[in-house]
Amino acid sequence: MSLFKARDWWSTVLGEKEEFDQGCLCLADVDNTGNGEDKIIVGSFMGYLRIFSPHPVKTGDGAQAEDLLLEVHLRDPILQVEVGKFVSGTETLHLAVLHSRKLCVYSVSGTLGNVEHGNQYQIKLMYEHNLQRTACNMTYGSFGGVKGRDLICIQSMDGMLMVFEQESYAFGRFLPGSLLPGPLAYSARTDSFITVSSCRQVESYKYQVLAFATDADKRQESEQQKLGSGKRLVVDWTLNIGEQALDICIISFNQSASSVFVLGERNFFCLKDNGQIQFMKKLDCSPSCFLPYCSVSEGTVNTLIGNHNSMLHIYQDVTLKWASQLPCVPVAVRVGSLHDLKGVIVTLSDDGHLQCSYLGTDPSLFQAPKVESRELNYDALDTELKELQKIIKDVNKSQGVWSLTEREDDLKISVVVSLNLDSVSQAPDVAAGTDLVPSATVKVTLQNRVVLQKAKLSVYVQRPLVLSRDQFTFEFMAPEMTRTAAFSVYLKGSYAPPELEGSAVVSYSRPTDRNPEGIPRVIQCKFRLPLKLICLPGQPSKVASHKLTIDTNKPPVSLLSLFPGFASQSEEDQVNVMGFHFLGGSQVTLLASKTSQRYRIQSEQFEDLWLITNELIIRLQEHFEKQGIKDFACSFSGPLPLQEYFELIDQHFELRVNGEKLEELLSERAVQFRAIQRRLLTRFKDQTPAPLQHLDTLLDGTHKWVIALADAVEENQDSLLQSCARLRSASHLLILLIGLWQKLSADQVAILEAAFLPLQHDTQELGWEETVDAAVSHLLKTCLSKCSKEQALSLSSQLTKPNDTSRLKKHITLLCDRLAKGGRLCLSADAAAPQTMVMPEVSTWENTAMKWTLVSEVKIQNVLVAFQSSGKRTNWTRELANHLEKNEQTDSLAYTVCRSTFQMKKRVKYKTMKSQKHEGVEEAG
């Protein structure tokens, strides 16, 4: 039990499935007994009117039968109930009930009972007004300073104020600029109505202004009420509070001062009667209702505020004095005198929980038992501590609280990808260029062993591949149940995806004895999509800008057996050459050598080589595994295509820069557009006509600029997405070639993938370039460092967008250089030790040329340009070597390459011509 909990004095629940709001509760001596005891009047949206007079035998008792004085079904929904002097000729209190299309005034009277059933109460209709407009709320008071009677003002849903002088209708006025009705209150001291408009402004209107505003044309009373055509009102004062208001209440300390309290969505405000802010308080929780009342301290006001956390906070001005817990969220709160008990807090919830409570605390009668004093056995404690430490160590060694086999036994997930494409494509009117887009069906099967709850299946594929449905929800899965989810995959874009792999992730909860809600778990399964989903058979091409050669240690395999679904010509023509046509237009050609153990992949686009190269290696491995051959291996002899990779990086970075410039221009034009709008609005509001001075032309031109820039931003974002996919494909290809070149293990390839393939997408705060640069720099300073000085250098803790890509390209080149020198990728504890770079033996001319490509681009390019531009055409290589020998003695690789280049010019030229002639003979064959 909470110490700060509202003490329950009396409570009851009203009806079944009835709804209530803040205007449905009222406290007053409605039967005019004169004993100072209030009655609780409650009306519901179901049309029930109830009057209570609680008399609990002891504190906390529920409602008794005699507590309900009256219950009447009025058929129409009750929006608000109020008690006042609403009948002419008498100053007794009467009950006003507001319906959506009717205002009724009743008198409540009771007669003494002569039997044990008690007193009898009844209501009598005094008069009613049929409304031509739908009502929202009402307020009452002595409008215009009348004495001894109360007038009623009703606000309609379209913002019209209708004033009733008891039995007769007085007038109706529209509030200027009204869109949605807000709370309404009447200030007797200033004789004005205060409301909050849909513009989030507190507005005050004098009653005299409302009364003397004559209608434009005189009509009958019913027509006047229906059409409401009146003179435009002038507001007395306004105050912008910046949020919608939930309620308004006015408290008068004396005849010389009053305060206006406004409850907002996040704050409550106290205003002077002239609209100036007296104080405001930012609330921690979302409020639901409030009630200000005069404090015992002079000059201060207490405020009861109920919130959606079922709490009732009591503030003295802006200071929180008390907080109490309620059993439900209150929508209305009142304070009254009930059964000789003053200051009873009455709360009403939206589902009809009516409670009378008071503030205070209950004394705690619990006393902690005395602990028996005993001597500590330190030996037993040491033994217990060692056992606990052993248990903790065993748990830390395991991968989780539950073993992996147990987690797999809870739920098994399997994915089946259809080998054949759908006969009718599921792609909704999507075409990539001039090609029709096919689709493939994927089925995911879930088999559970135990009871599972809230299982959610999410499927992910690489863009531009899309799914017909990517999420499936299973609220409850009984033991030994099998669920199947089927969906289609198709291409939506004119470029190839960077990967053909997808993943199916299932998150679920497994209930236990201690946790019935379930323990959250996640299981994942990957699947591979068919190549023909994005690729069609095409014509081979002999000419291509980009070529790759993959070496193997086994005899060449017929391409027909590797790619059976891509044969477009006769079998004889397709044995050693095959063409692939990507959806969108690009072409890739695959050639297999007849005599050597090589395969060549060539294309006009560098990034398009990745998917065919990866598919070739995977199918070769599967082919030899089926034959029982386990020592199959692929290799790459270089050189690495770094220049082509760097061009894609520059294109991606240029699109990022262009995107930022376009967004800045769009922001500037939007500011200009709003400024012109303000100028035009000022001109239109001016009572004296003035020329526009071509502001309309300027507005139209700026609007066209904004639309054009918005289209350019969208186009640049689409281009950036395509560039991201191409760069990711090129990164995959580069990692594959580095792994084949240096024969890296699976763990080392995983490190490169983590560095070059970040998981997050490009944003304005963080992009691909700075992320990859930080990862590569970390590798160069840890496992690939040459000395302890490089390890001492600390990386920046904050990633910022670079000015250009030169630093990134330099680090990638240096990474390849370190790997060529024998560097080892490792993230273990011993990676901090500097690696000994072993210079591999330069045995063949291919290795020498490859090392020259890697080193010369970064380390001797500037020196080379200087020597060539100096006019020294003879013996420049030897002079360059002498220069490097003097200035870079530590770099033995660059020095060796420069020396060997002079001696090997003719040999390299002869070897190159011989190789090209040999390959041309093979292609012709």
Side-chain angles (χ1 to χ4, degrees):
M1 177 184 294
S2 174
L3 179 65
F4 297 97
K5 184 177 180 181
R7 306 274 75 84
D8 188 8
W9 181 68
W10 177 87
S11 63
T12 185
V13 178
L14 307 178
E16 294 182 0
K17 297 181 180 180
E18 296 188 40
E19 296 182 3
F20 304 84
D21 204 354
Q22 62 181 6
C24 298
L25 178 63
C26 180
L27 268 68
D29 185 15
V30 68
D31 55 348
N32 299 283
T33 58
N35 57 5
E37 184 175 326
D38 294 329
K39 311 298 185 299
I40 303 175
I41 304 104
V42 182
S44 71
F45 289 163
M46 299 297 291
Y48 287 94
L49 177 67
R50 299 179 179 90
I51 301 177
F52 292 91
S53 179
H55 291 79
V57 179
K58 61 179 180 179
T59 301
D61 283 352
Q64 303 297 324
E66 58 270 17
D67 294 340
L68 180 60
L69 303 182
L70 180 67
E71 181 175 359
V72 181
H73 188 206
L74 301 180
R75 296 184 181 179
D76 296 326
I78 299 175
L79 304 182
Q80 191 172 346
V81 290
E82 297 291 349
V83 175
K85 303 173 183 179
F86 300 136
V87 178
S88 60
T90 177
E91 293 189 4
T92 58
L93 299 179
H94 289 76
L95 175 63
V97 180
L98 178 64
H99 303 283
S100 58
R101 285 282 184 168
K102 185 166 57 175
L103 172 65
C104 300
V105 176
Y106 300 92
S107 66
V108 180
S109 60
T111 57
L112 297 177
N114 298 324
V115 293
E116 60 182 2
H117 296 298
N119 300 335
Q120 304 295 323
Y121 283 82
Q122 60 185 358
I123 61 173
K124 179 181 178 181
L125 179 64
M126 303 303 294
Y127 62 87
E128 68 178 11
H129 294 286
N130 293 319
L131 307 178
Q132 300 299 325
R133 298 180 179 274
T134 303
C136 175
N137 51 24
M138 68 175 178
T139 186
Y140 70 96
S142 54
F143 305 161
V146 297
K147 303 294 183 180
R149 56 176 179 164
D150 292 326
L151 280 62
I152 299 176
C153 179
I154 299 176
Q155 181 179 203
S156 65
M157 294 298 293
D158 54 357
M160 180 180 182
L161 297 183
M162 297 172 285
V163 179
F164 295 89
E165 293 182 356
Q166 297 180 342
E167 292 87 350
S168 60
Y169 172 75
F171 58 86
R173 299 289 183 268
F174 275 104
L175 296 179
S178 176
L179 181 63
L180 292 174
L184 181 66
Y186 172 73
S187 175
R189 203 188 78 83
T190 59
D191 192 23
S192 58
F193 296 98
I194 299 175
T195 183
V196 178
S197 66
S198 54
C199 300
R200 301 180 178 181
Q201 290 183 348
V202 182
E203 299 177 351
S204 176
Y205 298 91
K206 292 285 188 179
Y207 176 75
Q208 296 296 332
V209 177
L210 290 170
F212 287 107
T214 57
D215 292 337
D217 51 346
K218 301 297 182 180
R219 290 187 174 91
Q220 299 295 328
E221 182 174 314
S222 60
E223 294 182 356
Q224 183 181 1
Q225 196 181 155
K226 181 186 298 185
L227 301 177
S229 58
K231 186 178 179 180
R232 185 175 180 179
L233 301 180
V234 179
V235 65
D236 185 23
W237 55 262
T238 62
L239 176 67
N240 192 343
I241 60 175
E243 57 183 317
Q244 294 294 340
L246 303 180
D247 200 1
I248 295 179
C249 190
I250 299 175
I251 298 297
S252 297
F253 301 100
N254 47 52
Q255 294 183 355
S256 61
S258 63
S259 297
V260 180
F261 288 84
V262 181
L263 179 65
E265 296 174 332
R266 296 174 298 273
N267 309 275
F268 84 90
F269 306 84
C270 178
L271 314 178
K272 297 181 181 179
D273 49 17
N274 59 357
Q276 296 180 357
I277 295 182
Q278 191 168 351
F279 64 82
M280 64 173 290
K281 174 66 177 177
K282 182 176 178 60
L283 303 176
D284 297 331
C285 303
S286 179
S288 58
C289 60
F290 87 135
L291 177 68
Y293 61 95
C294 295
S295 173
V296 294
S297 301
E298 185 177 355
T300 61
V301 176
N302 289 354
T303 308
L304 300 175
I305 299 180
N307 57 41
H308 287 278
N309 291 343
S310 302
M311 294 290 293
L312 186 67
H313 291 171
I314 295 88
Y315 290 89
Q316 188 176 51
D317 290 343
V318 295
T319 305
L320 180 63
K321 291 295 185 180
W322 195 265
S324 60
Q325 183 73 40
L326 296 176
C328 54
V329 178
V331 296
V333 58
R334 299 291 185 268
V335 175
S337 300
L338 301 175
H339 193 53
D340 297 332
L341 183 63
K342 296 182 179 181
V344 178
I345 300 174
V346 182
T347 56
L348 176 66
S349 66
D350 59 351
D351 56 355
H353 189 97
L354 181 64
Q355 181 183 14
C356 299
S357 57
Y358 58 92
L359 303 179
T361 58
D362 286 339
S364 176
L365 303 178
F366 173 76
Q367 292 182 356
K370 295 182 179 180
V371 180
E372 296 181 1
S373 59
R374 58 180 180 178
E375 296 181 358
L376 298 177
N377 189 348
Y378 293 99
D379 295 335
L381 292 177
D382 290 338
T383 305
E384 183 180 2
L385 179 60
K386 291 180 180 179
E387 292 178 355
L388 294 176
Q389 288 177 345
K390 183 179 179 182
I391 294 174
I392 294 173
K393 186 180 295 184
D394 294 340
V395 171
N396 291 334
K397 287 182 179 179
S398 63
Q399 296 298 325
V401 181
W402 293 275
S403 61
L404 184 61
T405 57
E406 182 181 353
R407 283 182 285 171
E408 291 177 349
D409 290 342
D410 291 347
L411 179 66
K412 292 184 179 179
I413 178 173
S414 59
V415 182
V416 177
V417 181
S418 176
L419 298 178
N420 299 321
L421 299 178
D422 297 338
S423 58
V424 178
S425 177
Q426 301 298 317
D429 300 332
V430 176
T434 59
D435 303 319
L436 296 178
V437 178
S439 63
T441 301
V442 182
K443 293 183 179 180
V444 182
T445 304
L446 306 180
Q447 295 178 344
N448 59 303
R449 181 180 56 86
V450 296
V451 176
L452 302 180
Q453 297 176 353
K454 301 177 183 179
K456 183 178 180 181
L457 169 63
S458 301
V459 188
Y460 304 92
V461 292
Q462 288 287 339
R463 195 180 296 174
L465 291 174
V466 294
L467 305 169
S468 59
R469 184 179 178 183
D470 57 354
Q471 289 188 353
F472 302 85
T473 304
F474 310 101
E475 289 295 334
F476 179 80
M477 297 180 66
E480 305 300 334
M481 178 179 287
T482 301
R483 294 290 186 93
T484 302
F487 51 89
S488 298
V489 187
Y490 56 89
L491 186 69
K492 187 178 181 180
S494 59
Y495 56 98
E499 296 178 16
L500 286 177
E501 286 189 353
S503 59
V505 182
V506 181
S507 60
Y508 60 94
S509 299
R510 178 185 175 183
T512 60
D513 296 336
R514 295 185 177 181
N515 190 357
E517 295 293 331
I519 301 174
R521 297 187 183 182
V522 177
I523 188 172
Q524 182 180 8
C525 178
K526 292 189 176 182
F527 58 91
R528 184 168 183 80
L529 298 172
L531 180 62
K532 53 187 176 182
L533 184 65
I534 63 168
C535 189
L536 300 174
Q539 293 294 332
S541 176
K542 294 183 179 180
V543 181
S545 302
H546 306 281
K547 300 179 181 179
L548 287 179
T549 302
I550 303 298
D551 299 330
T552 62
N553 59 351
K554 298 298 177 185
V557 182
S558 172
L559 297 182
L560 280 177
S561 59
L562 292 179
F563 299 92
F566 290 89
S568 61
Q569 300 177 1
S570 63
E571 185 177 352
E572 296 180 357
D573 297 332
Q574 292 290 326
V575 174
N576 296 322
V577 61
M578 184 170 289
F580 300 89
H581 173 71
F582 283 104
L583 298 177
S586 57
Q587 302 277 348
V588 179
T589 303
L590 175 60
L591 301 96
S593 176
K594 293 182 178 179
T595 57
S596 61
Q597 302 168 356
R598 292 182 176 182
Y599 300 87
R600 168 169 289 183
I601 308 96
Q602 57 188 24
S603 175
E604 292 295 330
Q605 301 293 333
F606 172 69
E607 63 274 5
D608 292 337
L609 300 175
W610 152 245
L611 286 177
I612 303 301
T613 305
N614 186 50
E615 195 75 20
L616 172 66
I617 295 176
I618 292 176
R619 298 196 180 197
L620 285 173
Q621 292 174 349
E622 293 176 351
H623 173 77
F624 287 107
E625 284 179 0
K626 291 179 181 179
Q627 297 181 356
I629 301 175
K630 298 182 179 179
D631 59 343
F632 171 76
C634 298
S635 61
F636 177 72
S637 57
L640 291 177
L642 290 180
Q643 189 61 37
E644 294 84 350
Y645 185 60
F646 292 159
E647 290 178 0
L648 290 175
I649 294 178
D650 292 336
Q651 293 175 7
H652 178 265
F653 186 76
E654 183 180 358
L655 287 173
R656 287 185 60 193
V657 174
N658 292 339
E660 290 186 357
K661 292 180 180 179
L662 288 174
E663 289 181 358
E664 290 179 0
L665 286 175
L666 180 60
S667 177
E668 293 176 359
R669 291 297 177 267
V671 172
Q672 176 180 335
F673 186 73
R674 290 191 293 269
I676 298 172
Q677 282 183 323
R678 287 194 296 268
R679 290 285 186 92
L680 279 175
L681 187 61
T682 304
R683 294 291 179 91
F684 291 149
K685 284 186 176 181
D686 193 1
Q687 296 180 357
T688 303
L692 296 180
Q693 296 179 352
H694 302 288
L695 284 177
D696 52 344
T697 306
L698 186 58
L699 181 69
D700 183 63
T702 307
H703 179 263
K704 293 180 180 179
W705 263 103
V706 171
I707 297 300
L709 286 174
D711 295 339
V713 169
E714 291 184 356
E715 183 180 354
N716 187 82
Q717 289 177 352
D718 295 339
S719 301
L720 185 60
L721 290 177
Q722 296 185 20
S723 179
C724 287
R726 294 189 176 100
L727 183 57
R728 195 173 183 87
S729 298
S731 301
H732 276 292
L733 181 60
L734 182 64
I735 294 171
L736 175 64
L737 296 180
I738 293 176
L740 297 179
W741 173 44
Q742 292 296 323
K743 297 180 175 56
L744 301 181
S745 63
D747 294 338
Q748 292 175 322
V749 172
I751 294 175
L752 286 179
E753 289 178 349
F756 284 88
L757 301 172
L759 297 178
Q760 81 279 356
H761 298 286
D762 283 341
T763 61
Q764 292 184 354
E765 294 80 13
L766 188 63
W768 184 89
E769 286 79 9
E770 50 266 34
T771 306
V772 174
D773 188 23
V776 174
S777 301
H778 177 73
L779 293 178
L780 293 175
K781 288 177 172 57
T782 54
C783 57
L784 296 179
S785 62
K786 296 175 61 176
C787 58
S788 58
K789 291 183 179 180
E790 292 186 359
Q791 297 180 9
L793 298 176
S794 60
L795 296 175
S796 175
S797 59
Q798 185 176 3
L799 298 181
T800 57
K801 181 183 175 182
N803 296 326
D804 51 32
T805 59
S806 59
R807 174 185 173 89
L808 173 61
K809 293 188 287 188
K810 178 180 178 181
H811 286 168
I812 294 176
T813 307
L814 191 58
L815 173 70
C816 299
D817 185 20
R818 298 279 175 88
L819 290 175
K821 291 181 180 180
R824 183 169 59 93
L825 291 171
C826 180
L827 297 181
S828 59
D830 58 349
Q835 302 291 333
T836 302
M837 298 300 178
V838 180
M839 174 63 189
E841 182 180 358
V842 183
S843 58
T844 61
W845 70 275
E846 292 93 349
N847 289 336
T848 304
M850 176 178 59
K851 302 296 188 286
W852 167 259
T853 304
L854 289 174
V855 178
S856 63
E857 185 173 351
V858 176
K859 297 188 176 181
I860 63 175
Q861 183 177 7
N862 297 331
V863 182
L864 183 63
V865 172
F867 272 97
Q868 287 181 337
S869 61
S870 62
K872 299 179 180 180
R873 298 300 181 185
T874 60
N875 223 6
W876 61 268
T877 311
R878 184 172 299 169
E879 294 182 13
L880 174 61
N882 294 332
H883 177 81
L884 292 175
E885 184 178 7
K886 295 179 181 178
N887 297 278
E888 295 183 0
Q889 297 180 359
T890 57
D891 197 341
S892 60
L893 178 60
Y895 176 76
T896 304
V897 170
C898 293
R899 284 290 189 183
S900 60
T901 304
F902 177 77
Q903 300 174 0
M904 296 175 62
K905 280 183 179 180
K906 295 183 179 180
R907 186 179 176 186
V908 170
K909 182 177 181 181
Y910 175 76
K911 290 278 187 179
T912 304
M913 294 176 60
K914 184 177 180 181
S915 176
Q916 292 178 353
K917 182 178 181 181
H918 179 67
E919 292 175 358
V921 173
E922 290 182 356
E923 294 180 3

